[in-house]
Amino acid sequence: MLTERRNHARELVQGLELGRWDALVVMSGDGLMYEVVNGLMERPDWETAIRKPLCSLPAGSGNALAASLNHYAGYEQVTNEDLLTNCTLLLCRRLLEPMNLLSLQTASGLRLFSVLSLSWGFIADVDLESEKFRRLGELRFTLGTFLRLAALRVYRGRLAYLPAGRGVPGVPASPAVDRQDQQGPTDAHLVPLEEPVPAHWTVVPEQDFVLVLALLHSHLGSEMFAAPMGRSAAGTMHLFYVRAGVSRATLLRLFLAMEKGRHLEQACPYLVYAPVVAFRLEPKDGKGVFAADGELLVSEAVQGQVHADYIWMVSGCVEPPPGQKPRRGSPPEKPL
């Protein structure tokens, strides 16, 4: 099926008879997989639908999800046709692996699901403002980076997060999950956005940020090895933020080093990294934009929680590592 407009894939999967298919193969960029997953989660049978195996074949600009799957399979970092070939080989091998899913809640009441990332500030600006250069392919991001560096912005906001491995004293007294008008897994670590975060969370004082990035996978683009510290454990994600005060030259060096995953070796005091389970980000004055898997969201308070091993992706493994069995049961009844 060829998509013709924004959210077309979302509409298509809502009406599909999923039992006819072994898998849903998405040949595009990261945004189309975002549409497919959210379409599956909006179906009445979402608990069954979201277990349908998914495959990412890169044909977009960023191709971060495909690049991450390529990395997990042990292939060297490649782009364009080579990346497509590697991902097609994974599909031909018909092996599945469970992947984390990020549940997002916004102040306006939206419930969304991300398979890759949520960004605010510099990265979101480059992602969305470079759309007009889409015909350049991956070069659009390079051009967008230089243009945004020339007019570097900072955004004021408040960030809080639940670090991975921190003892949780129990489910919050009023979890932001028991809404009759929404469906999906329970976000047990989150409280309503109008309430303070739980006391065991880490709170970053209100300040100016250059960027904030919550990332589920290793790559932010086919040549952006953003998380070289290793694959996130089940139920966790990578959280990066860059504080205001960083120079344009330093920020450029960070992004150039990211191609080989060496940006953390720069020992930049403005760059902070933490593995987390959940987070909350509250922009001040509604400035800036959010990008969820490269798709535009309005700037408003947002919070998110990772759900461990929630979707099945075509990958390099038939079984998850020992001790990381998917919490939603065995693979789909009809093997890929």
Side-chain angles (χ1 to χ4, degrees), residues 84-160:
L84 176 58
T85 299
N86 288 353
C87 291
T88 305
L89 286 172
L90 293 178
L91 176 59
C92 293
R93 291 173 184 166
R94 304 165 68 89
L95 303 181
L96 300 174
E97 190 170 6
M99 302 282 174
N100 292 334
L101 183 68
L102 174 59
S103 169
L104 297 170
Q105 302 177 13
T106 71
S108 60
L110 289 177
R111 178 87 185 278
L112 302 165
F113 298 93
S114 164
V115 296
L116 178 65
S117 66
L118 180 80
S119 59
W120 179 61
F122 188 92
I123 291 175
D125 290 345
V126 170
D127 202 348
L128 298 170
E129 293 173 3
S130 65
E131 277 287 332
K132 54 182 171 288
F133 308 125
R134 178 171 285 276
R135 67 180 61 186
L136 298 178
E138 294 176 52
L139 286 176
R140 65 176 262 215
F141 299 113
T142 302
L143 177 57
T145 296
F146 280 101
L147 291 175
R148 182 46 48 218
L149 280 171
L152 189 60
R153 300 170 181 157
V154 296
Y155 299 103
R156 193 159 191 84
R158 182 184 295 113
L159 175 66

Side-chain angles (χ1 to χ4, degrees), residues 71 76-79 218-229 253-266:
H71 173 68
E76 64 180 25
Q77 184 168 291
V78 291
T79 62
S218 62
H219 283 66
L220 191 58
S222 58
E223 293 186 290
M224 297 185 73
F225 190 14
M229 64 288 297
R253 284 196 294 271
L254 287 175
F255 278 95
L256 291 176
M258 191 182 292
E259 179 180 351
K260 301 298 183 183
R262 294 176 177 169
H263 47 294
L264 296 176
E265 299 174 11
Q266 305 295 310

Side-chain angles (χ1 to χ4, degrees), residues 271-335:
L271 172 62
V272 181
Y273 165 75
V276 305
V277 172
F279 71 92
R280 177 185 290 183
L281 180 55
E282 300 172 276
K284 297 290 288 185
D285 306 321
K287 293 183 178 179
V289 293
F290 284 99
D293 298 352
E295 299 300 299
L296 173 66
L297 297 178
V298 298
S299 184
E300 60 180 341
V302 63
Q303 60 183 1
Q305 172 183 329
V306 183
H307 291 275
D309 295 340
Y310 211 83
I311 59 176
W312 286 92
M313 295 287 300
V314 170
S315 186
C317 284
V318 66
E319 291 288 345
Q324 293 188 22
K325 291 288 184 180
R327 298 181 182 180
R328 293 189 46 75
S330 58
E333 294 180 2
K334 188 175 183 180

Side-chain angles (χ1 to χ4, degrees), residues 173-231:
S174 53
V177 294
D178 298 324
R179 295 187 54 172
Q180 298 301 315
D181 59 335
Q182 293 184 345
Q183 58 188 31
T186 297
D187 293 330
H189 293 302
L190 305 181
V191 298
L193 277 162
E194 59 269 18
E195 298 181 11
V197 297
H200 60 287
W201 283 42
T202 296
V203 177
V204 180
E206 182 179 313
Q207 59 186 275
D208 291 332
F209 295 92
V210 172
L211 67 87
V212 178
L213 172 67
L215 181 64
L216 289 172
H217 290 289
S218 62
H219 283 66
L220 191 58
S222 58
E223 293 186 290
M224 297 185 73
F225 190 14
M229 64 288 297
R231 185 171 175 181

Side-chain angles (χ1 to χ4, degrees), residues 46-61:
W46 64 271
E47 289 185 277
T48 302
I50 198 59
R51 296 177 62 225
K52 179 61 62 176
L54 303 170
C55 174
S56 177
L57 296 183
S61 302

